Amino acid sequence: MRRLVVWAALAVALSCFPRAQGATYASDAAYNFTGQDYSSSGRGIAVDGANTRLFVTYRKSAGGNVQVLDVATGAPLAPITVPAPTAINDIALSPDSSKLYIARLNSTSGTGEIDVADAAPGAAATLAIPFLDADSNSLGVPTSLAITSNGTSQYLAVTTTRWFYIFRSDAGGAWVQQTALDLTFSTAARKVIAQDTGGAPAFFVLTAGATTTPRVVQVSALDGSVPVITWDALPTAYAGYTFDSVLPGGVVDGVPSVFIAADSTDNDGNATLSVFRYGTDGTYQGDGFGALLSPSAPLSALQPLDSTPTLVPSALVGNKLYLGAIRPDQFLGADATVRVVISNSTISPVKVSGTVRDSKGVGVAGATVVVFGKNTPVATTAADGTYSFPSLMPSPSLKFGASKFGYVAASGTFAVPAGSDRTGVDFVLPGAVPTFIAAHAFAPKVPDGILYTGKYNTAEMPFYMINGDPIEDTLKTVAYTEWDSQGLYIAVRGSEPSIDANSAIYANQNMLTQDDNVQIYLDPPHRHDVKGAQNNLFQFAVNIPPLITGVTTRSPQKFQRRIFPTGSLAQSVSSDAWAAHVGYYNGGWVVEARINVSQLTPFGPLAVEGAEWGVLIARHRPTAHLDSRPTDFCTSNVQPSGFSDPTTWTDIRLDAAKPDVPGDVNNSGAVDFVDAIYALRMAGGLSLGAPAPGDVWPDPEPDVTLRNAVLAKGDVWPPAAPDGQITIEDALRLLRAASGLDVIH
């Protein structure tokens, strides 16, 4: 039995700790029933939409059920029985409150299952989803449930200690698995909830841990995608917490919110419970309840339940949050379900405005201004650089960031007091960054390390010396980039007079970056670190083995990782996320890579036409070359110590696909003389294009995909029935079309 804690130090801490003005919280009811104790109840909580019936699990290792309580009186009604033997882990109500779903362990077979019952007193549960795959192998034991809907479809989320699943039911039909997400990048999943993020239903999964930042993964209910969410760390005053559960929050103070429940210990070693409010975008909202957050009992004395995998189960209806927690009273008793009423702040929003200027003091039109992590509209500057947020909640410190394609970004923290509009939130964009348009690839690129004219229909992306001096021709380095639905393609060509001295001896990734190598830093989409982009930065590296006559070339080593702006490891990334190959020519080498951005989830979004990304491509040649020549170059003239800082990376914009024009074999968007030349070369049995200096030619490994695509567009004769090959007649027809004498139909 837990002891009532009269924590004298708590009053002192509360008196000196600054609390943000926001929502307020108060407990107006508590629920208990005979036989309920800390270890056998509170695994799952649900409440119907009418706020009349409360469902609470009652768990025993060999038998259990779900108790139904009258919300108004707390009186127990007839329980919902579950097939025995059972150990119930969680429950969830259907969106219309008609069905109750139960995650349980069959104590005899050791397998998991999900049962369903009418959400009515005295109902009996039956099997809804045997938690097995198509070959009758166990999918694990379901530990947590959540359910939501969209139109006539319902989505049921299930966690195990490793996997996250989404099942879908259309128009009341059978449940079909549509998503399986491996959570091995985290610790065990502890709790999942369904929450609307302001337009789309999503699931939030807490993956636990004793850290300063909640480990919460958001998963789209509709397609299982995992957008990037940067979760704020708690203020330093909250130290030593273990995050227990994620709880639904609804919309609080106009912000789609979730609660994160965490526990710590008081001065006597007893567990205390604190519940912090976050926006669904990961921003800490500065309020909550429980120990150190509530200035008065009973919320200041809340304690978490013992011996449960989801330590703080919960349910939300309107502004009433039901949660499994202990509220000690003067008789040393405890409640196992406490109801907390959430009240919105009475503080009125204010208007915030300012101006974004360049380094010469001229207003910058079309710049974007954001509030760090806030789920608020993005402001765009007018022709004179001015902008405004018409409605922001006051705060002693709000962090803003401003950015525009082609400029170094800027950020700053400003006080936004209550009661009057805030002006003068101004920014200066301190300089320019290189810009580049990444063309939409005509055909998927084969990253074979072989470049030929026409493989990349894009301009060269130049490299700069770190110290600003021109790069000598013997070390000239350029890059090319294109994109399509398969990912981002990057090729780097580097001249190297001492290619046989390339070091290339390290397999360890920390040493690889000291070797002859190419590194690619990526920020999709580019936010210049003004909206939590540190959770969306990636580093890819590949070394370049020496090319020594008569010696077998060592295979290139490569690595990939998600990084923080400090350059430290944030998360490992699967090697399947990219492919990189090294090729050689007389006097240099080529590194060619394909980065499958979609495989970077749950840490990266998919490519979007017109999106702006940040890219930094760097080349390093160590002093092992012994030639006193420079060692570092990159596309943005950034010092190596700043490679991981995205504010000065090259800005690239993903170009739209060119129109599908018959005869446009070079994908320029129109028929021109280059198309005719390509057709002539193919008609004569020659390779595409013309060799550039240093190219291996003719291409010993033709890019079959590209050539087939060229063939499909260039085979324009006869127009009514292409004959499957490019002939002289096709080339002549293209010549006439390029001269304006003919039309390709």
Side-chain angles (χ1 to χ4, degrees):
M1 179 71 69
R2 295 175 186 261
R3 294 178 293 117
L4 174 66
V5 178
V6 181
W7 191 7
L10 178 62
V12 177
L14 289 171
S15 66
C16 64
F17 186 78
R19 297 183 65 248
Q21 293 180 318
T24 58
Y25 307 88
S27 175
D28 72 339
Y31 301 88
N32 196 285
F33 59 90
T34 302
Q36 188 177 27
D37 59 46
Y38 308 145
S39 62
S40 67
S41 64
R43 293 251 179 168
I45 293 175
V47 61
D48 64 8
N51 197 27
T52 59
R53 291 175 180 169
L54 179 67
F55 302 83
V56 184
T57 58
Y58 180 81
R59 185 187 197 275
K60 294 293 186 183
S61 59
N65 58 22
V66 180
Q67 181 65 56
V68 185
L69 304 178
D70 183 284
V71 167
T73 66
L77 306 174
I80 293 176
T81 58
V82 181
T86 188
I88 300 173
N89 285 330
D90 199 9
I91 57 176
L93 269 174
S94 62
D96 64 0
S97 299
S98 65
K99 300 291 183 181
L100 183 74
Y101 291 86
I102 304 162
R104 75 183 191 101
L105 167 69
N106 186 312
S107 303
T108 298
S109 65
T111 61
E113 64 182 58
I114 299 171
D115 297 329
V116 63
D118 290 334
T126 58
L127 181 64
I129 302 176
F131 219 53
L132 304 171
D133 64 16
D135 298 320
S136 297
N137 298 310
S138 175
L139 296 176
V141 176
T143 58
S144 182
L145 292 179
I147 189 169
T148 188
S149 63
N150 186 64
T152 60
S153 297
Q154 294 188 8
Y155 301 85
L156 178 67
V158 186
T159 68
T160 69
T161 56
R162 171 174 173 173
W163 288 88
F164 175 85
Y165 301 93
I166 297 177
F167 293 84
R168 175 173 173 169
S169 171
D170 294 320
W175 290 100
V176 177
Q177 181 183 318
Q178 73 165 21
T179 297
L181 177 64
D182 191 343
L183 297 179
T184 53
F185 60 81
S186 70
T187 55
R190 299 174 77 100
K191 182 64 178 176
V192 60
I193 63 167
Q195 179 78 23
D196 195 306
T197 61
F203 296 109
F204 289 83
V205 189
L206 178 75
T207 59
T211 67
T212 59
T213 305
R215 296 175 181 169
V216 181
V217 178
Q218 177 184 328
V219 187
S220 166
L222 303 184
D223 60 13
S225 61
V226 186
V228 175
I229 298 292
T230 301
W231 292 88
D232 285 353
L234 290 173
T236 55
Y238 304 113
Y241 280 82
T242 297
F243 295 105
D244 294 330
S245 298
V246 57
L247 320 176
V251 178
V252 183
D253 275 345
V255 177
S257 300
V258 297
F259 292 102
I260 308 292
D263 75 85
S264 61
T265 56
D266 62 20
N267 291 349
D268 294 326
N270 296 289
T272 64
L273 179 65
S274 298
V275 180
F276 304 93
R277 182 167 67 94
Y278 281 78
T280 55
D281 62 351
T283 306
Y284 175 53
Q285 297 297 306
D287 61 47
F289 58 90
L292 286 184
L293 288 169
S294 177
S296 62
L299 293 179
S300 61
L302 289 179
Q303 299 175 2
L305 297 172
D306 284 336
S307 307
T308 56
T310 56
L311 299 180
V312 189
S314 59
L316 178 73
V317 172
N319 68 330
K320 294 180 173 60
L321 177 68
Y322 296 79
L323 69 154
I326 300 167
R327 188 184 66 175
D329 62 24
Q330 58 182 332
F331 303 109
L332 303 184
D335 305 294
T337 301
V338 175
R339 186 168 74 181
V340 177
V341 179
I342 306 166
S343 300
N344 288 332
S345 169
T346 58
I347 300 174
S348 299
V350 297
K351 180 181 179 181
V352 175
S353 59
T355 304
V356 179
R357 298 179 175 89
D358 63 18
S359 58
K360 297 180 180 179
V362 179
V364 177
T368 59
V369 183
V370 299
V371 182
F372 269 57
K374 294 290 184 183
N375 194 5
T376 54
V378 174
T380 302
T381 57
D384 60 354
T386 59
Y387 75 93
S388 68
F389 288 100
S391 179
L392 289 181
M393 292 303 294
S395 170
S397 61
L398 279 182
K399 191 174 183 182
F400 295 79
S403 63
K404 185 181 179 181
F405 189 76
Y407 289 84
V408 176
S411 62
T413 300
F414 299 83
V416 179
S420 62
D421 293 343
R422 174 62 157 98
T423 60
V425 181
D426 301 333
F427 299 94
V428 174
L429 304 183
V433 297
T435 61
F436 197 79
I437 304 299
H440 191 284
F442 170 36
K445 299 286 181 288
V446 177
D448 52 13
I450 299 172
L451 287 183
Y452 49 83
T453 302
K455 188 171 186 180
Y456 286 82
N457 289 306
T458 186
E460 291 181 348
M461 182 186 296
F463 277 61
Y464 302 90
M465 285 276 292
I466 297 301
N467 61 7
D469 295 332
I471 298 177
E472 55 187 281
D473 288 342
T474 55
L475 295 175
K476 182 179 179 181
T477 312
V478 295
Y480 307 86
T481 182
E482 291 187 6
W483 75 282
D484 62 15
S485 60
Q486 296 190 21
L488 188 71
Y489 304 97
I490 293 177
V492 182
R493 182 199 302 272
S495 298
E496 180 51 69
S498 55
I499 196 168
D500 58 345
N502 282 26
S503 189
I505 59 175
Y506 301 115
N508 179 278
Q509 69 180 35
N510 294 322
M511 298 301 294
L512 186 154
T513 54
Q514 301 177 34
D515 208 341
D516 284 275
N517 68 75
V518 166
Q519 298 181 54
I520 301 168
Y521 294 84
L522 183 63
D523 178 13
H526 198 14
R527 292 175 292 186
H528 298 91
D529 201 30
V530 296
K531 201 177 182 184
Q534 66 267 23
N535 254 23
N536 206 36
L537 306 180
F538 299 88
Q539 178 188 12
F540 305 88
V542 60
N543 66 2
I544 302 142
L547 187 63
I548 304 174
T549 303
V551 177
T552 302
T553 301
R554 184 189 301 269
S555 298
Q557 301 290 330
K558 69 185 183 77
F559 76 87
Q560 59 287 320
R561 59 183 185 173
R562 189 172 63 91
I563 61 171
F564 292 117
T566 59
S568 60
L569 174 66
Q571 186 71 48
S572 298
V573 173
S574 169
S575 60
D576 294 336
W578 77 307
H581 295 272
V582 177
Y584 300 90
Y585 62 91
N586 185 21
W589 46 259
V590 171
V591 168
E592 196 173 10
R594 179 183 64 241
I595 301 174
N596 189 345
V597 183
S598 65
Q599 290 210 7
L600 300 182
T601 54
F603 310 112
L606 298 174
V608 178
E609 185 176 292
E612 295 173 358
W613 289 3
V615 171
L616 176 73
I617 307 174
R619 172 187 177 183
H620 176 70
R621 58 185 310 272
T623 55
H625 286 278
L626 301 176
D627 54 14
S628 300
R629 287 184 168 96
T631 59
D632 291 289
F633 327 105
C634 72
T635 55
S636 293
N637 199 22
V638 181
Q639 295 293 332
S641 60
F643 278 178
S644 57
D645 176 6
T647 60
T648 55
W649 290 359
T650 303
D651 280 353
I652 66 170
R653 181 175 289 135
L654 306 186
D655 201 9
K658 296 293 190 299
D660 189 9
V661 178
D664 178 24
V665 297
N666 70 340
N667 200 37
S668 66
V671 177
D672 54 29
F673 287 105
V674 176
D675 300 313
I677 293 172
Y678 276 17
L680 280 170
R681 291 186 63 83
M682 291 193 73
L686 302 177
S687 298
L688 281 178
D695 275 348
V696 177
W697 201 269
D699 187 346
E701 298 180 9
D703 189 333
V704 177
T705 303
L706 179 61
R707 282 160 176 72
N708 285 344
V710 169
L711 177 65
K713 276 196 174 183
D715 183 18
V716 295
W717 183 266
D723 54 13
Q725 59 183 330
I726 291 183
T727 62
I728 295 296
E729 287 83 357
D730 295 299
L732 291 175
R733 186 172 180 84
L734 290 175
L735 276 172
R736 290 179 58 84
S739 303
L741 301 176
D742 217 341
V743 177
I744 302 297
H745 297 286

PDB file of all heavy atoms in Angstrom, residues 117-145:
ATOM      1  N   ALA A 117     -16.699  -7.233 -28.138  1.00  0.00           N
ATOM      2  CA  ALA A 117     -17.971  -7.438 -27.445  1.00  0.00           C
ATOM      3  C   ALA A 117     -18.834  -6.213 -27.665  1.00  0.00           C
ATOM      4  O   ALA A 117     -18.333  -5.115 -27.948  1.00  0.00           O
ATOM      5  CB  ALA A 117     -17.742  -7.661 -25.953  1.00  0.00           C
ATOM      6  N   ASP A 118     -20.153  -6.405 -27.548  1.00  0.00           N
ATOM      7  CA  ASP A 118     -21.034  -5.244 -27.521  1.00  0.00           C
ATOM      8  C   ASP A 118     -20.669  -4.402 -26.301  1.00  0.00           C
ATOM      9  O   ASP A 118     -20.412  -4.932 -25.211  1.00  0.00           O
ATOM     10  CB  ASP A 118     -22.492  -5.677 -27.437  1.00  0.00           C
ATOM     11  CG  ASP A 118     -22.977  -6.321 -28.729  1.00  0.00           C
ATOM     12  OD1 ASP A 118     -22.411  -6.003 -29.793  1.00  0.00           O
ATOM     13  OD2 ASP A 118     -23.916  -7.141 -28.656  1.00  0.00           O
ATOM     14  N   ALA A 119     -20.628  -3.107 -26.473  1.00  0.00           N
ATOM     15  CA  ALA A 119     -20.253  -2.217 -25.372  1.00  0.00           C
ATOM     16  C   ALA A 119     -21.456  -1.987 -24.472  1.00  0.00           C
ATOM     17  O   ALA A 119     -22.022  -0.894 -24.407  1.00  0.00           O
ATOM     18  CB  ALA A 119     -19.716  -0.905 -25.918  1.00  0.00           C
ATOM     19  N   ALA A 120     -21.858  -3.050 -23.784  1.00  0.00           N
ATOM     20  CA  ALA A 120     -23.040  -2.991 -22.924  1.00  0.00           C
ATOM     21  C   ALA A 120     -22.808  -3.881 -21.716  1.00  0.00           C
ATOM     22  O   ALA A 120     -22.144  -4.919 -21.823  1.00  0.00           O
ATOM     23  CB  ALA A 120     -24.283  -3.447 -23.691  1.00  0.00           C
ATOM     24  N   PRO A 121     -23.317  -3.523 -20.569  1.00  0.00           N
ATOM     25  CA  PRO A 121     -23.155  -4.371 -19.386  1.00  0.00           C
ATOM     26  C   PRO A 121     -23.664  -5.781 -19.638  1.00  0.00           C
ATOM     27  O   PRO A 121     -24.712  -5.980 -20.265  1.00  0.00           O
ATOM     28  CB  PRO A 121     -23.999  -3.646 -18.323  1.00  0.00           C
ATOM     29  CG  PRO A 121     -24.061  -2.225 -18.786  1.00  0.00           C
ATOM     30  CD  PRO A 121     -24.084  -2.295 -20.281  1.00  0.00           C
ATOM     31  N   GLY A 122     -22.896  -6.766 -19.175  1.00  0.00           N
ATOM     32  CA  GLY A 122     -23.295  -8.154 -19.298  1.00  0.00           C
ATOM     33  C   GLY A 122     -22.958  -8.807 -20.618  1.00  0.00           C
ATOM     34  O   GLY A 122     -23.245  -9.994 -20.811  1.00  0.00           O
ATOM     35  N   ALA A 123     -22.336  -8.090 -21.538  1.00  0.00           N
ATOM     36  CA  ALA A 123     -21.998  -8.675 -22.835  1.00  0.00           C
ATOM     37  C   ALA A 123     -20.848  -9.657 -22.685  1.00  0.00           C
ATOM     38  O   ALA A 123     -20.096  -9.641 -21.706  1.00  0.00           O
ATOM     39  CB  ALA A 123     -21.635  -7.568 -23.822  1.00  0.00           C
ATOM     40  N   ALA A 124     -20.725 -10.534 -23.683  1.00  0.00           N
ATOM     41  CA  ALA A 124     -19.639 -11.513 -23.704  1.00  0.00           C
ATOM     42  C   ALA A 124     -18.787 -11.278 -24.936  1.00  0.00           C
ATOM     43  O   ALA A 124     -19.302 -11.014 -26.029  1.00  0.00           O
ATOM     44  CB  ALA A 124     -20.198 -12.927 -23.700  1.00  0.00           C
ATOM     45  N   ALA A 125     -17.467 -11.374 -24.770  1.00  0.00           N
ATOM     46  CA  ALA A 125     -16.536 -11.113 -25.862  1.00  0.00           C
ATOM     47  C   ALA A 125     -16.286 -12.378 -26.671  1.00  0.00           C
ATOM     48  O   ALA A 125     -16.268 -13.491 -26.139  1.00  0.00           O
ATOM     49  CB  ALA A 125     -15.217 -10.581 -25.308  1.00  0.00           C
ATOM     50  N   THR A 126     -16.093 -12.187 -27.973  1.00  0.00           N
ATOM     51  CA  THR A 126     -15.732 -13.286 -28.866  1.00  0.00           C
ATOM     52  C   THR A 126     -14.518 -12.866 -29.687  1.00  0.00           C
ATOM     53  O   THR A 126     -14.181 -11.687 -29.778  1.00  0.00           O
ATOM     54  CB  THR A 126     -16.886 -13.646 -29.814  1.00  0.00           C
ATOM     55  OG1 THR A 126     -17.243 -12.481 -30.577  1.00  0.00           O
ATOM     56  CG2 THR A 126     -18.103 -14.123 -29.032  1.00  0.00           C
ATOM     57  N   LEU A 127     -13.889 -13.834 -30.305  1.00  0.00           N
ATOM     58  CA  LEU A 127     -12.663 -13.585 -31.059  1.00  0.00           C
ATOM     59  C   LEU A 127     -12.949 -12.699 -32.271  1.00  0.00           C
ATOM     60  O   LEU A 127     -13.849 -12.979 -33.060  1.00  0.00           O
ATOM     61  CB  LEU A 127     -12.043 -14.904 -31.517  1.00  0.00           C
ATOM     62  CG  LEU A 127     -10.732 -14.807 -32.308  1.00  0.00           C
ATOM     63  CD1 LEU A 127      -9.625 -14.224 -31.447  1.00  0.00           C
ATOM     64  CD2 LEU A 127     -10.323 -16.190 -32.833  1.00  0.00           C
ATOM     65  N   ALA A 128     -12.175 -11.623 -32.419  1.00  0.00           N
ATOM     66  CA  ALA A 128     -12.305 -10.725 -33.571  1.00  0.00           C
ATOM     67  C   ALA A 128     -11.115 -10.840 -34.502  1.00  0.00           C
ATOM     68  O   ALA A 128     -11.264 -10.902 -35.719  1.00  0.00           O
ATOM     69  CB  ALA A 128     -12.452  -9.277 -33.102  1.00  0.00           C
ATOM     70  N   ILE A 129      -9.904 -10.882 -33.944  1.00  0.00           N
ATOM     71  CA  ILE A 129      -8.686 -10.985 -34.744  1.00  0.00           C
ATOM     72  C   ILE A 129      -7.734 -11.955 -34.061  1.00  0.00           C
ATOM     73  O   ILE A 129      -7.176 -11.643 -33.006  1.00  0.00           O
ATOM     74  CB  ILE A 129      -7.982  -9.619 -34.899  1.00  0.00           C
ATOM     75  CG1 ILE A 129      -8.913  -8.589 -35.545  1.00  0.00           C
ATOM     76  CG2 ILE A 129      -6.704  -9.758 -35.713  1.00  0.00           C
ATOM     77  CD1 ILE A 129      -8.307  -7.193 -35.624  1.00  0.00           C
ATOM     78  N   PRO A 130      -7.550 -13.150 -34.603  1.00  0.00           N
ATOM     79  CA  PRO A 130      -6.493 -14.015 -34.065  1.00  0.00           C
ATOM     80  C   PRO A 130      -5.151 -13.391 -34.439  1.00  0.00           C
ATOM     81  O   PRO A 130      -4.906 -13.082 -35.597  1.00  0.00           O
ATOM     82  CB  PRO A 130      -6.729 -15.351 -34.776  1.00  0.00           C
ATOM     83  CG  PRO A 130      -7.460 -14.992 -36.029  1.00  0.00           C
ATOM     84  CD  PRO A 130      -8.256 -13.765 -35.729  1.00  0.00           C
ATOM     85  N   PHE A 131      -4.317 -13.176 -33.472  1.00  0.00           N
ATOM     86  CA  PHE A 131      -3.103 -12.408 -33.750  1.00  0.00           C
ATOM     87  C   PHE A 131      -2.040 -13.317 -34.346  1.00  0.00           C
ATOM     88  O   PHE A 131      -0.982 -13.567 -33.751  1.00  0.00           O
ATOM     89  CB  PHE A 131      -2.624 -11.720 -32.478  1.00  0.00           C
ATOM     90  CG  PHE A 131      -2.094 -10.344 -32.725  1.00  0.00           C
ATOM     91  CD1 PHE A 131      -2.853  -9.411 -33.412  1.00  0.00           C
ATOM     92  CD2 PHE A 131      -0.839  -9.982 -32.298  1.00  0.00           C
ATOM     93  CE1 PHE A 131      -2.370  -8.139 -33.656  1.00  0.00           C
ATOM     94  CE2 PHE A 131      -0.339  -8.718 -32.533  1.00  0.00           C
ATOM     95  CZ  PHE A 131      -1.112  -7.798 -33.220  1.00  0.00           C
ATOM     96  N   LEU A 132      -2.347 -13.779 -35.574  1.00  0.00           N
ATOM     97  CA  LEU A 132      -1.472 -14.696 -36.295  1.00  0.00           C
ATOM     98  C   LEU A 132      -1.324 -14.222 -37.728  1.00  0.00           C
ATOM     99  O   LEU A 132      -2.206 -13.545 -38.271  1.00  0.00           O
ATOM    100  CB  LEU A 132      -2.058 -16.114 -36.302  1.00  0.00           C
ATOM    101  CG  LEU A 132      -2.376 -16.744 -34.941  1.00  0.00           C
ATOM    102  CD1 LEU A 132      -3.150 -18.032 -35.135  1.00  0.00           C
ATOM    103  CD2 LEU A 132      -1.092 -17.004 -34.160  1.00  0.00           C
ATOM    104  N   ASP A 133      -0.204 -14.582 -38.380  1.00  0.00           N
ATOM    105  CA  ASP A 133      -0.041 -14.238 -39.786  1.00  0.00           C
ATOM    106  C   ASP A 133      -0.696 -15.306 -40.659  1.00  0.00           C
ATOM    107  O   ASP A 133      -1.354 -16.223 -40.155  1.00  0.00           O
ATOM    108  CB  ASP A 133       1.435 -14.041 -40.140  1.00  0.00           C
ATOM    109  CG  ASP A 133       2.271 -15.314 -39.976  1.00  0.00           C
ATOM    110  OD1 ASP A 133       1.686 -16.427 -39.886  1.00  0.00           O
ATOM    111  OD2 ASP A 133       3.510 -15.209 -39.948  1.00  0.00           O
ATOM    112  N   ALA A 134      -0.503 -15.186 -41.971  1.00  0.00           N
ATOM    113  CA  ALA A 134      -1.164 -16.108 -42.904  1.00  0.00           C
ATOM    114  C   ALA A 134      -0.711 -17.544 -42.707  1.00  0.00           C
ATOM    115  O   ALA A 134      -1.426 -18.483 -43.078  1.00  0.00           O
ATOM    116  CB  ALA A 134      -0.904 -15.668 -44.343  1.00  0.00           C
ATOM    117  N   ASP A 135       0.478 -17.736 -42.123  1.00  0.00           N
ATOM    118  CA  ASP A 135       0.995 -19.086 -41.890  1.00  0.00           C
ATOM    119  C   ASP A 135       0.792 -19.535 -40.452  1.00  0.00           C
ATOM    120  O   ASP A 135       1.455 -20.459 -39.984  1.00  0.00           O
ATOM    121  CB  ASP A 135       2.488 -19.131 -42.238  1.00  0.00           C
ATOM    122  CG  ASP A 135       2.740 -18.828 -43.705  1.00  0.00           C
ATOM    123  OD1 ASP A 135       1.946 -19.299 -44.543  1.00  0.00           O
ATOM    124  OD2 ASP A 135       3.715 -18.124 -44.005  1.00  0.00           O
ATOM    125  N   SER A 136      -0.108 -18.851 -39.747  1.00  0.00           N
ATOM    126  CA  SER A 136      -0.458 -19.189 -38.361  1.00  0.00           C
ATOM    127  C   SER A 136       0.699 -19.007 -37.396  1.00  0.00           C
ATOM    128  O   SER A 136       0.760 -19.650 -36.347  1.00  0.00           O
ATOM    129  CB  SER A 136      -0.987 -20.639 -38.277  1.00  0.00           C
ATOM    130  OG  SER A 136      -2.170 -20.759 -39.026  1.00  0.00           O
ATOM    131  N   ASN A 137       1.625 -18.117 -37.737  1.00  0.00           N
ATOM    132  CA  ASN A 137       2.692 -17.760 -36.810  1.00  0.00           C
ATOM    133  C   ASN A 137       2.247 -16.564 -35.971  1.00  0.00           C
ATOM    134  O   ASN A 137       1.572 -15.664 -36.453  1.00  0.00           O
ATOM    135  CB  ASN A 137       3.976 -17.405 -37.575  1.00  0.00           C
ATOM    136  CG  ASN A 137       4.500 -18.568 -38.376  1.00  0.00           C
ATOM    137  OD1 ASN A 137       4.638 -19.670 -37.855  1.00  0.00           O
ATOM    138  ND2 ASN A 137       4.793 -18.332 -39.647  1.00  0.00           N
ATOM    139  N   SER A 138       2.644 -16.559 -34.727  1.00  0.00           N
ATOM    140  CA  SER A 138       2.225 -15.487 -33.834  1.00  0.00           C
ATOM    141  C   SER A 138       2.811 -14.152 -34.262  1.00  0.00           C
ATOM    142  O   SER A 138       3.986 -14.049 -34.620  1.00  0.00           O
ATOM    143  CB  SER A 138       2.670 -15.797 -32.402  1.00  0.00           C
ATOM    144  OG  SER A 138       2.375 -14.702 -31.552  1.00  0.00           O
ATOM    145  N   LEU A 139       1.962 -13.122 -34.258  1.00  0.00           N
ATOM    146  CA  LEU A 139       2.431 -11.761 -34.521  1.00  0.00           C
ATOM    147  C   LEU A 139       2.935 -11.099 -33.250  1.00  0.00           C
ATOM    148  O   LEU A 139       3.361  -9.949 -33.272  1.00  0.00           O
ATOM    149  CB  LEU A 139       1.294 -10.913 -35.111  1.00  0.00           C
ATOM    150  CG  LEU A 139       0.761 -11.346 -36.481  1.00  0.00           C
ATOM    151  CD1 LEU A 139      -0.427 -10.483 -36.880  1.00  0.00           C
ATOM    152  CD2 LEU A 139       1.852 -11.275 -37.529  1.00  0.00           C
ATOM    153  N   GLY A 140       2.904 -11.817 -32.151  1.00  0.00           N
ATOM    154  CA  GLY A 140       3.285 -11.266 -30.862  1.00  0.00           C
ATOM    155  C   GLY A 140       2.084 -11.211 -29.946  1.00  0.00           C
ATOM    156  O   GLY A 140       1.007 -11.727 -30.248  1.00  0.00           O
ATOM    157  N   VAL A 141       2.264 -10.592 -28.807  1.00  0.00           N
ATOM    158  CA  VAL A 141       1.173 -10.415 -27.856  1.00  0.00           C
ATOM    159  C   VAL A 141       0.764  -8.945 -27.875  1.00  0.00           C
ATOM    160  O   VAL A 141       1.581  -8.065 -27.621  1.00  0.00           O
ATOM    161  CB  VAL A 141       1.604 -10.818 -26.439  1.00  0.00           C
ATOM    162  CG1 VAL A 141       0.478 -10.541 -25.446  1.00  0.00           C
ATOM    163  CG2 VAL A 141       1.992 -12.287 -26.411  1.00  0.00           C
ATOM    164  N   PRO A 142      -0.505  -8.644 -28.210  1.00  0.00           N
ATOM    165  CA  PRO A 142      -0.936  -7.245 -28.261  1.00  0.00           C
ATOM    166  C   PRO A 142      -0.902  -6.616 -26.871  1.00  0.00           C
ATOM    167  O   PRO A 142      -1.466  -7.160 -25.918  1.00  0.00           O
ATOM    168  CB  PRO A 142      -2.357  -7.326 -28.816  1.00  0.00           C
ATOM    169  CG  PRO A 142      -2.812  -8.718 -28.525  1.00  0.00           C
ATOM    170  CD  PRO A 142      -1.592  -9.576 -28.556  1.00  0.00           C
ATOM    171  N   THR A 143      -0.221  -5.488 -26.767  1.00  0.00           N
ATOM    172  CA  THR A 143      -0.079  -4.814 -25.478  1.00  0.00           C
ATOM    173  C   THR A 143      -0.905  -3.548 -25.371  1.00  0.00           C
ATOM    174  O   THR A 143      -1.167  -3.072 -24.274  1.00  0.00           O
ATOM    175  CB  THR A 143       1.394  -4.459 -25.227  1.00  0.00           C
ATOM    176  OG1 THR A 143       1.866  -3.626 -26.290  1.00  0.00           O
ATOM    177  CG2 THR A 143       2.255  -5.709 -25.147  1.00  0.00           C
ATOM    178  N   SER A 144      -1.291  -2.971 -26.505  1.00  0.00           N
ATOM    179  CA  SER A 144      -2.025  -1.710 -26.462  1.00  0.00           C
ATOM    180  C   SER A 144      -2.877  -1.581 -27.709  1.00  0.00           C
ATOM    181  O   SER A 144      -2.495  -2.060 -28.782  1.00  0.00           O
ATOM    182  CB  SER A 144      -1.046  -0.537 -26.355  1.00  0.00           C
ATOM    183  OG  SER A 144      -1.733   0.687 -26.258  1.00  0.00           O
ATOM    184  N   LEU A 145      -4.046  -0.918 -27.566  1.00  0.00           N
ATOM    185  CA  LEU A 145      -5.002  -0.757 -28.663  1.00  0.00           C
ATOM    186  C   LEU A 145      -5.426   0.702 -28.794  1.00  0.00           C
ATOM    187  O   LEU A 145      -5.465   1.437 -27.809  1.00  0.00           O
ATOM    188  CB  LEU A 145      -6.275  -1.581 -28.410  1.00  0.00           C
ATOM    189  CG  LEU A 145      -6.214  -3.095 -28.425  1.00  0.00           C
ATOM    190  CD1 LEU A 145      -7.604  -3.644 -28.128  1.00  0.00           C
ATOM    191  CD2 LEU A 145      -5.735  -3.605 -29.758  1.00  0.00           C
TER     192      LEU A 145
END
